Structure formats: structure tokens, C-alpha cells
Amino acid sequence: MSEKTVPVVGRFAPTPSARLHLGNLMCALVAWLSVRARGGKILLRIEDLDAARCPFMGENTRYLLDDLAWLGLDFDGEVLYQSTRSEIYETYFNRLNEAGLIYPCYCSRAELHATTAPHLSDNTPLYDRRCLARAARGEAPPVGRKPAFRVMVPDRELGFTDRLAGEYRENLLTDCSDFVVRRADGVFAYQLAVVVDDALSGVSEVVRGNDLLGSTPRQIYLQQMLGFDTPAYCHIPLLVDAAGRRLSKRDGDGCMESVRAKYRDAAPVVGALAAALGLIARPESLSPSDLLPFFDLAKLPRGVVKLPDGF
Ligand code: GLU
């Protein structure tokens, strides 16, 4: 079937560990516009895997739903909560295990961080396969310690073409190494959950922040191992203030709490984001639907997304 007959399915997948930030809203807006401009579907998934940081339907989740509605973004189907889907993740974890790709890792966080190995973009050190070597030597695992589980990666390059960031490639072994798919406390890792959920929801386009560009080869590798299709990827550059500075979380810059305290109405906020994204020439008050005729991914900046002066 051609792309014309299969409607595009996008998604927004926030982690409710804090109140949403203008940068998250910008990603939600682009994901929504990209899909709606082509008559597709957009899903909302709450990534509340870690119950300690993100209690089910907690305050941040309630604010998040309200902030999205305030901005004028609507979603198709039911909201998916990752916290309710452990059994599903377990099925796919077992498939990887049956394929001989999973091994237990008993290394503590302190042991892992004591290495001089280079760190990945998510700040985890490149794993040196210490636990594989220990098992090969026949050493017994440390008593009383529960293992995390890692997926084994091959020594090969994996690349993809991002619709915004262009060509991106990594050697799975030397640039990322075996990564955790289930934590020692039993919680499934983001990398596995995101791949399973995107595939089972039929997601064909992933629009998200540039901070996740470096996670994408790991996700594509899991898709390949589980027999899933790879969606199109579009990683959006960082949102900065008019002077080019990162919005400071400490000062509450860009936090939806301050944005909503300053702007009662969402229209100027949508307009400022649209101008920052290059969709319109000057900030004006608009709704997301007003922006549909102006949406073109090719207009988006490649470096950083700069908010207009005075916003
Ligand atoms: N939950 C992730 C976050 O809020 C995003 C996941 C994704 O879009 O793949 O950073």
C-alpha cells in the first residue's frame, strides 16, 4: 500500500516526572501538526514506568493532560499508561531472552560509574561486559543482589536518516554497548517499553526532542530483534530563549506553571512557538488548527529553535 492509503500515526509520549516544559509542548505541537496536516492519527502515551518518580495519575499527569488541552491539542483513542502494561513488556522481554540475547548484570550503579569508559548521551557509561566475562569464568553472582538484564548487541553499525537531523549512525557495540532492558527492581527500561508500545500502537512517525537522537539506534536494534517495522524519525532541536540561552529549569523558565501564570490564553504561546519553528514570519495569536496550512517540516530550524524576543 502506498503512503497515501495508510494514514500516518504519530504520538506524543511524555514522562510525567515533572510539570511539562515549553520544550515538551513544542514537540507535542510539531508531532500533532505533522500528523494532522496529513489527516493522520495522533496518540498520547504517558510514560509512567517508574512508579516512584511518576505515580499513576499523579499531579504531574493531571497537569499534563490539562496543559495539552489548554494548548488546543487533541488526541485519538484512549490515553495509554505504561504503568499498566508490564505484562506486555514481559512478553517481548521473554522473546529476546528466548533468542539468547539477554543476560543478567549484577553491577551496582557505583561500580558502573567508577569506570573510565566514555559515557552515552543519557549519561550511562559504556558497558564493558564485565558480567558476561564473570559468567564465562564460571564465577557465582554476588549473594543477595538482584540483577538488571541487558540485551547483547553486535559489533556493527546501525544508521538511519532522521527527517530533521539527517544521517545518524553508531556502532552498536563500541558506541553504545549492551544496554539495560529491565532494571534490578523489575521495572522495564524505557528503551524496551517505547519500542513495544510504538509497534503495537502502529506508530509510523516519531517526533521528539533531539536529546533522544542517541537512543534511536538502540531502539531500531530492538525493533529488528523483535521483528517490528521502524517508524520515520524526526528529532527536533533544543528550544532556547531569544538570546540563544537554554531555558533554565531552576528559574522556572519555560515551565508550564510560569507560562500559564503569564499567559491566560494559549494563542500567543502557540504563535510564539510557531514563529520560533519558522512556520510563520512573526508571532501572532493562533490556535494549533490555524497553523495546519502553514506546516512544513522543511521550514523547521536545524540548529536550535529560538523563542521570539520578549516572550
Ligand atoms: N518519555 C520520553 C520523554 O519524556 C520521550 C519518549 C519518546 O518520545 O520516545 O523524554
Side-chain angles (χ1 to χ4, degrees):
M1 273 196 282
S2 75
E3 218 192 313
K4 273 193 190 118
T5 53
V6 186
V8 59
V9 179
R11 47 57 154 199
F12 178 53
T15 302
S17 53
R19 181 98 184 241
L20 280 186
H21 195 260
L22 211 48
N24 307 120
L25 264 292
M26 169 185 74
C27 292
L29 178 64
V30 177
W32 187 95
L33 287 168
S34 173
V35 162
R36 288 276 188 255
R38 286 174 285 162
K41 286 193 175 163
I42 177 100
L43 313 175
L44 177 61
R45 179 169 77 231
I46 308 295
E47 302 215 318
D48 56 355
L49 276 173
D50 188 341
R53 283 172 65 227
C54 318
F56 180 62
M57 277 310 277
E59 189 179 53
N60 289 327
T61 301
R62 283 181 278 124
Y63 274 130
L64 183 159
L65 298 173
D66 190 60
D67 287 337
L68 292 170
W70 178 78
L71 208 74
L73 300 178
D74 62 335
F75 293 87
D76 296 296
E78 302 239 314
V79 179
L80 212 70
Y81 290 89
Q82 287 192 326
S83 56
T84 63
R85 295 170 59 80
S86 294
E87 278 177 28
I88 298 171
Y89 306 138
E90 180 133 32
T91 305
Y92 290 93
F93 173 83
N94 289 341
R95 283 200 195 163
L96 295 171
N97 198 18
E98 281 151 23
L101 292 169
I102 300 285
Y103 66 91
C105 171
Y106 293 88
C107 297
S108 66
R109 192 179 286 255
E111 277 166 348
L112 292 173
H113 284 271
T115 123
T116 51
H119 282 53
L120 307 182
S121 55
D122 61 6
N123 205 29
T124 50
L126 198 69
Y127 190 55
D128 58 7
R129 293 191 153 169
R130 206 173 311 186
C131 279
L132 260 190
R134 276 185 197 145
R137 288 196 299 269
E139 272 175 42
V143 185
R145 200 186 283 178
K146 286 213 169 82
F149 292 91
R150 291 182 183 270
V151 64
M152 231 180 290
V153 297
D155 184 5
R156 74 163 159 95
E157 292 255 314
L158 195 156
F160 70 103
T161 308
D162 189 90
R163 286 198 179 155
L164 268 185
E167 288 291 316
Y168 186 83
R169 55 180 50 250
E170 273 184 0
N171 178 296
L172 287 168
L173 184 65
T174 56
D175 293 325
C176 103
S177 190
D178 302 342
F179 54 96
V180 172
V181 283
R182 187 172 202 171
R183 299 185 341 197
D185 61 4
V187 174
F188 291 100
Y190 157 70
Q191 307 290 3
L192 179 67
V194 83
V195 162
V196 169
D197 285 339
D198 282 342
L200 299 193
S201 310
V203 167
S204 56
E205 178 178 275
V206 171
V207 173
R208 61 187 178 190
N210 218 351
D211 53 325
L212 288 167
L213 187 65
S215 282
T216 310
R218 277 172 273 175
Q219 293 174 15
I220 296 177
Y221 172 66
L222 287 179
Q223 288 155 4
Q224 292 173 346
M225 294 303 102
L226 290 168
F228 295 147
D229 288 343
T230 291
Y233 286 100
C234 173
H235 286 88
I236 306 186
L238 189 72
L239 182 68
V240 295
D241 69 13
R245 282 184 305 246
R246 218 192 161 100
L247 302 175
S248 143
K249 283 207 176 122
R250 207 193 46 209
D251 297 336
D253 289 353
C255 173
M256 285 314 286
E257 191 178 348
S258 8
V259 172
R260 288 184 65 173
K262 192 164 164 199
Y263 298 90
R264 283 198 48 206
D265 182 26
V269 178
V270 173
L273 288 174
L277 288 162
L279 301 179
I280 53 174
R282 266 172 303 281
E284 47 184 301
S285 288
L286 291 166
S287 71
S289 309
D290 295 334
L291 281 172
L292 285 170
F294 303 102
F295 185 74
D296 179 0
L297 207 58
K299 291 183 186 163
L300 263 54
R302 297 297 194 273
V304 286
V305 180
K306 221 184 243 189
L307 280 166
D309 252 337
F311 180 77

